[in-house]
Structure formats: C-alpha cells, structure tokens
Amino acid sequence: VLKLFKLLHRTRQEVFKNDTKALEAARQKINEEFRNNRDETSEEKINELLKIASDVEVILRTSVIQAVHTDSDRIVLIPRKDLLQDNTPYLDKPTKK
C-alpha cells in the first residue's frame, strides 16, 4: 500500500510539473483517498482499492498532458517524453515492396 502511495505521488510530481495548483489538488486527493480507507480490513475491498489506485496511476502517466493558455484563443501543449510515440503515416494506397 505504501509503495503504491509513493508511486502515485511520484507520478503526480512528474505529470503536473510546474503547475502548483494541480500539484496541490492531486496531493490532497491522493492523501484524502488513502486516509478515508486506512481503516479498511476486508482483503477483497483492499485489493479492489489497490487496483483502482494502480489504474489511476497508469491513466495519469499515460493519458494526462499539460496545456498552457498563451492567448485568448491559443493553447500550447507540453507533452512528456513518455507520451510521445512513433507515428506511422496513413497511406490510402499502400506501396508494394
């Protein structure tokens, strides 16, 4: 449980880097969820909660991207390196090799 708690906080720091509001909100939410369930004794419920926390960590790490408003009608995306993937271009008519 402690390992997952620390992993969520590390992921939060990486995903929301330089965004103090998001960092604080995520910190509070993570701490609140773990605090609310710290007295849980049912093994099935604990495993379910750990699965949810693990899924949240994966979603944060793989799906969340930062964006910054630069003008009233412009947003700049700030992707992390682990989000960038090689893209294969789409071809209407594939070439024969």
Side-chain angles (χ1 to χ4, degrees), residues 10-80:
R10 275 188 235 108
T11 301
R12 165 191 69 92
Q13 289 174 338
E14 183 181 322
V15 169
F16 301 117
K17 185 188 277 186
N18 300 325
D19 186 349
T20 55
K21 287 182 182 180
L23 280 167
E24 182 60 23
R27 184 188 70 77
Q28 287 178 0
K29 186 64 176 173
I30 292 167
N31 291 345
E32 175 188 331
E33 290 298 324
F34 275 81
R35 194 176 307 114
N36 289 343
N37 295 299
R38 76 175 159 203
D39 295 328
E40 187 61 54
T41 57
S42 166
E43 188 173 336
E44 291 135 17
K45 181 70 173 169
I46 291 171
N47 287 335
E48 179 184 329
L49 291 167
L50 290 174
K51 173 77 170 102
I52 291 170
S54 178
D55 291 347
V56 166
E57 192 277 331
V58 169
I59 290 170
L60 280 173
R61 188 172 22 87
T62 61
S63 301
V64 175
I65 187 166
Q66 285 184 304
V68 177
H69 286 278
T70 56
D71 292 327
S72 61
D73 62 343
R74 289 193 166 232
I75 296 176
V76 174
L77 299 179
I78 307 170
R80 293 181 314 283

Side-chain angles (χ1 to χ4, degrees), residues 1 8 10 13 29 37 50 76 82 86-87 89 91 94 96:
V1 173
L8 276 166
R10 275 188 235 108
Q13 289 174 338
K29 186 64 176 173
N37 295 299
L50 290 174
V76 174
D82 55 337
D86 289 335
N87 191 10
L91 298 174
K96 293 183 181 178

